[in-house]
Amino acid sequence: QAATKGHKDIVELLIAEGADVNAKHIWRADRYDTPLDWAANDDIADLLRKHGGKTSEELKAEGKWKKQLFKLQSEHPVRGQLA
């Protein structure tokens, strides 16, 4: 939430500690957002981009989102999921 709240100093610290700038916030099986999707301002967006941050749409365009999403789903299955 540091990116969405505009806490640039915390975003910098998290990146320095190895945080994934493309971490996924999964809304449903076919929808997720990254920190860049919710960056509070241009400074934070620029910082995320400088370290490889991409929007969910950019990751989808690269074809990476399905592989990453399936990996996340297999690591964190939802109880009662039918598929």
Side-chain angles (χ1 to χ4, degrees), residues 21-70:
V21 295
N22 291 312
K24 313 300 179 291
H25 180 244
I26 300 173
W27 294 99
R28 50 180 207 254
D30 63 342
R31 173 89 166 115
Y32 69 85
D33 291 322
T34 67
L36 189 55
D37 289 312
W38 291 94
N41 56 52
D42 290 341
D43 286 342
I44 291 181
D46 292 343
L47 178 62
L48 292 168
R49 287 216 182 267
K50 177 181 171 186
H51 292 278
K54 297 182 180 186
T55 66
S56 58
E57 291 301 316
E58 290 169 337
L59 292 175
K60 287 176 187 176
E62 292 177 1
K64 294 181 179 178
W65 73 278
K66 284 186 180 179
K67 180 188 286 185
Q68 293 171 339
L69 191 58
F70 290 139

Side-chain angles (χ1 to χ4, degrees), residues 63-79:
K64 294 181 179 178
W65 73 278
K66 284 186 180 179
K67 180 188 286 185
Q68 293 171 339
L69 191 58
F70 290 139
K71 182 176 185 282
L72 285 170
Q73 288 174 332
S74 67
E75 292 172 353
H76 306 283
V78 176
R79 291 176 191 239

